[in-house]
Amino acid sequence: MDAKSTIEAGKAILGIEFGSTRIKAVLIDQENNPIAQGSHTWENQLVDGLWTYSIDNIWAGLQDCYTHLREDVKAQYGVEIEKLASIGISAMMHGYMAFNDKQEILVPFRTWRNTNTGKAAEALSALFNFNVPLRWSISHLYQCILEDNAHVQDIEFLTTLAGYIHWQLTGEKVLGIGDASGMIPIDPETKNYDATMVEKFDKLVAPKGYGWKLTDILPKVLVAGENAGTLTAEGAKRLDLSGHLQAGTPCCPPEGDAGTGMAATNAVKQRTGNVSAGTSSFSMIVLEKNLSKPYKMIDIVTTPDGSPVAMVHCNNCTSEINAWVNIFKQFEELMGIKVDMNELYTKLFQTSLDGDADCGGLLSYNYVSGEPVTELEDGRPLFLRAANDNFSLANFMRTQMYAAIGVLKIGNDVLFKEEKVNVDRITGHGGYFTTKGVGQRFLAAALNSPISVMETAGEGGAWGIALLASYLVNKSAGQDLAAFLDEKVFAGNTGTEVKPTAEEVAGFDAYIESYKKGLAIEKAAVAYKDAH
């Protein structure tokens, strides 16, 4: 069936993901190939010291994104979207969306980016003996309780952005297990919120006398493949302002962007992982067993089907590279050279391959903002060298490339060197890997592991949630998510693999030892800037 016939027959599948700067919709066919897309650009706002997106902007963005999808379908195929086979909604994980019994939001949506939850996260980590990050929903909730926010007693429902959109489209207060694992910890055995931790939390806040227990206000946890409700008539009208889209489409559990990244890179099976590297970066390694103890730099979340995942999240990645490339752009303009930014990035990235394995002694810190893994609340970008270091363009660019994944290496060294975690395949995706064979080679050296990059990784999270929606309606009897992705989506395609050499691994290890010693300089720079 061709794409036009697929859409006309109502067999196409829709995935929508709310990213931090873009909302993207992808329509796929029965073979899981993208056939149309739409997008909407948006930005968060800092309101009363907290990062947020307004409810109005959420819906305007969703509707504009869907309108662009409709326009793409009409332009390519000359048809309207009337029916769909399934729908999936995904968004940035974590954060805080609390509603009362009238479905009114009680305080503006607090995103994952907010770091005002330090006291709560520290107290809950100690209470649970489990690393509870600042951005998790339970940290936001408990911080509101510590501050005696009046709205807390009126909470009827607490969810994430994906959970909110899904609820409004279907009427169902549910959440995919991966997204739920960024609200409060999940028990991998029960595939539900950890009952012991829920009980501890309820006891902790009992003196406040709220009219709810934690499980009363949280969404129901669902795993991939479970039915999460259907698109209501009201939901269809809110999504498609033109009125063409009909109600009744089944929806998969709403998921977080980490889960959709795992699906899009075929990394949901144990002993697989993926690294997303762009403005920020994170690695997701699917574990065979629980870690021996909690680590502040490692978050434990789950795959969309409930396996535990060790996540290392880094606030900074490619922004400092972009800043330096812009300096080279200005130099070219000064010399009267016509600038092609793609060519400039490619040549600078490629010249980094000619640098020394340890960057010739040069050091760079890409901390545009603070970095929790290295315990820095604020950041100052730095470039450092000694007089006798091998200062060349190749080494300069190589240290910028190393710095972009330096923090990621520090976190993953805990997994691979201390916890002896085994991994068979790690897939990279994001802007860091755009120039073929460069970022991929450096990440392989950093993690001392083969790194694969697939052409489809560029399709991103909207494609990943579309795949989860496809799994809902197209899986075979008894077929788990990993088998579905292996057999029906990727069909043996593991991408292009790069293995590190012993010299590259030793060079990156030497670089990171100098990097860790030099963190004292970075901390001093932060303190100096704060004092002036």
Side-chain angles (χ1 to χ4, degrees):
M1 191 179 287
D2 62 21
K4 179 180 178 181
S5 302
T6 298
I7 296 166
E8 287 181 314
K11 299 291 186 183
I13 294 160
L14 174 62
I16 298 175
E17 180 158 280
F18 288 72
S20 57
T21 58
R22 190 167 67 138
I23 305 169
K24 185 178 178 182
V26 170
L27 202 65
I28 65 172
D29 62 20
Q30 295 297 91
E31 284 72 47
N32 305 299
N33 300 308
I35 54 176
Q37 64 177 359
S39 66
H40 171 83
T41 300
W42 69 339
E43 287 288 347
N44 53 194
Q45 296 89 39
L46 189 63
V47 179
D48 296 329
L50 294 170
W51 292 104
T52 187
Y53 300 87
S54 72
I55 294 293
D56 287 345
N57 284 349
I58 289 168
W59 286 104
L62 176 63
Q63 290 158 356
D64 185 57
C65 177
Y66 187 84
T67 297
H68 282 115
L69 174 73
R70 275 187 58 240
E71 290 169 351
D72 188 37
V73 167
K74 288 182 77 173
Q76 286 195 73
Y77 311 112
V79 297
E80 279 284 1
I81 305 170
E82 304 279 352
K83 293 181 180 178
L84 292 164
S86 58
I87 296 173
I89 300 294
S90 173
M92 301 165 278
M93 289 176 67
H94 320 297
Y96 184 79
M97 298 191 83
F99 298 87
N100 63 18
D101 57 3
K102 296 176 183 175
Q103 298 192 15
E104 298 167 333
I105 195 161
L106 291 164
V107 292
F109 168 36
R110 299 176 181 183
T111 77
W112 63 273
R113 193 176 179 185
N114 291 295
T115 56
N116 63 310
T117 56
K119 288 183 180 178
E122 185 177 355
L124 293 175
S125 295
L127 179 70
F128 296 160
N129 191 31
F130 187 99
N131 179 39
V132 179
L134 299 175
R135 62 189 183 279
W136 282 26
S137 304
I138 194 72
S139 296
H140 285 279
L141 174 61
Y142 190 48
Q143 190 66 38
C144 290
I145 292 170
L146 288 175
E147 294 172 2
D148 285 320
N149 287 189
H151 78 268
V152 176
Q153 64 186 352
D154 297 323
I155 296 176
E156 181 81 11
F157 184 42
L158 177 64
T159 190
T160 64
L161 179 55
Y164 166 65
I165 298 294
H166 181 93
W167 170 42
Q168 295 297 299
L169 295 180
T170 66
E172 300 292 335
K173 295 179 177 179
V174 299
L175 201 59
I177 192 167
D179 206 2
S181 71
M183 291 193 78
I184 76 168
I186 290 287
D187 182 340
E189 298 299 320
T190 64
K191 303 283 194 286
N192 206 340
Y193 303 115
D194 189 292
T196 302
M197 297 184 196
V198 168
E199 184 181 1
K200 285 181 177 180
F201 184 86
D202 284 336
K203 284 183 179 177
L204 178 67
V205 304
K208 295 286 186 180
Y210 299 128
W212 49 260
K213 294 285 185 72
L214 191 53
T215 52
D216 297 335
I217 62 173
L218 291 174
K220 180 183 177 183
V221 180
L222 299 176
V223 297
E226 290 191 284
N227 195 309
T230 56
L231 182 67
T232 63
E234 183 184 4
K237 288 176 185 174
R238 293 195 79 176
L239 180 58
D240 179 11
L241 295 179
S242 75
H244 286 92
L245 184 61
Q246 298 174 19
T249 301
C251 297
C252 73
E255 263 301 348
D257 50 357
T260 60
M262 286 184 256
T265 54
N266 194 19
V268 301
K269 194 186 298 183
Q270 291 181 355
R271 295 173 67 105
T272 65
N274 78 89
V275 170
S276 173
T279 306
S280 61
S281 69
F282 57 84
S283 63
M284 314 284 294
I285 307 296
V286 187
L287 301 173
E288 295 178 279
K289 57 184 176 62
N290 291 330
L291 302 182
S292 64
K293 62 180 181 179
Y295 295 90
K296 197 170 183 179
M297 64 180 69
I298 298 170
D299 306 348
I300 301 297
V301 291
T302 79
T303 62
D305 55 353
S307 293
V309 175
M311 178 181 190
V312 177
H313 184 278
C314 310
N315 286 355
N316 301 282
C317 187
T318 58
S319 293
E320 183 65 354
I321 293 174
N322 297 338
W324 279 108
V325 172
N326 190 53
I327 291 292
F328 289 111
K329 168 180 174 279
Q330 291 175 35
F331 171 74
E332 287 195 338
E333 290 171 340
L334 184 67
M335 299 299 292
I337 301 168
K338 187 177 179 182
V339 179
D340 179 326
M341 289 305 289
N342 288 332
E343 182 184 26
L344 182 57
Y345 270 100
T346 299
K347 286 191 177 298
L348 287 171
F349 274 40
Q350 287 174 341
T351 198
S352 68
L353 292 172
D354 297 327
D356 299 321
D358 65 350
C359 301
L362 310 185
L363 274 179
S364 178
Y365 295 91
N366 66 333
Y367 297 177
V368 175
S369 64
E371 195 57 77
V373 172
T374 47
E375 299 184 342
L376 278 153
E377 291 184 7
D378 201 356
R380 300 288 175 266
L382 291 179
F383 170 69
L384 306 166
R385 70 182 182 96
N388 59 347
D389 287 340
N390 186 5
F391 187 34
S392 65
L393 179 61
N395 277 334
F396 176 79
M397 284 308 302
R398 193 168 182 121
T399 192
Q400 298 300 329
M401 297 295 290
Y402 275 25
I405 53 173
V407 178
L408 198 70
K409 174 177 173 57
I410 290 170
N412 279 278
D413 277 354
V414 172
L415 292 175
F416 299 136
K417 294 182 178 180
E418 295 183 34
E419 289 286 335
K420 310 298 183 189
V421 168
N422 294 309
V423 62
D424 298 324
R425 188 185 78 246
I426 299 175
T427 303
H429 58 115
Y432 184 77
F433 304 101
T434 302
T435 301
K436 192 172 182 179
V438 181
Q440 184 179 6
R441 178 161 294 284
F442 295 147
L443 184 65
L447 302 187
N448 191 15
S449 170
I451 302 295
S452 297
V453 173
M454 292 188 283
E455 297 294 329
T456 50
E459 299 292 350
W463 184 58
I465 189 64
L467 296 180
L468 294 176
S470 177
Y471 177 61
L472 174 70
V473 293
N474 290 328
K475 64 182 182 295
S476 305
Q479 187 178 42
D480 65 22
L481 178 60
F484 174 81
L485 293 173
D486 273 343
E487 297 161 14
K488 292 197 174 181
V489 179
F490 295 94
N493 175 23
T494 56
T496 305
E497 184 180 85
V498 166
K499 294 180 179 178
T501 66
E503 180 189 6
E504 289 168 336
V505 172
F508 209 115
D509 280 346
Y511 174 87
I512 211 68
E513 287 308 309
S514 297
Y515 180 100
K516 287 190 282 191
K517 291 173 184 173
L519 282 169
I521 306 168
E522 172 70 21
K523 290 175 181 176
V526 170
Y528 174 80
K529 185 73 174 178
D530 288 344
H532 292 71

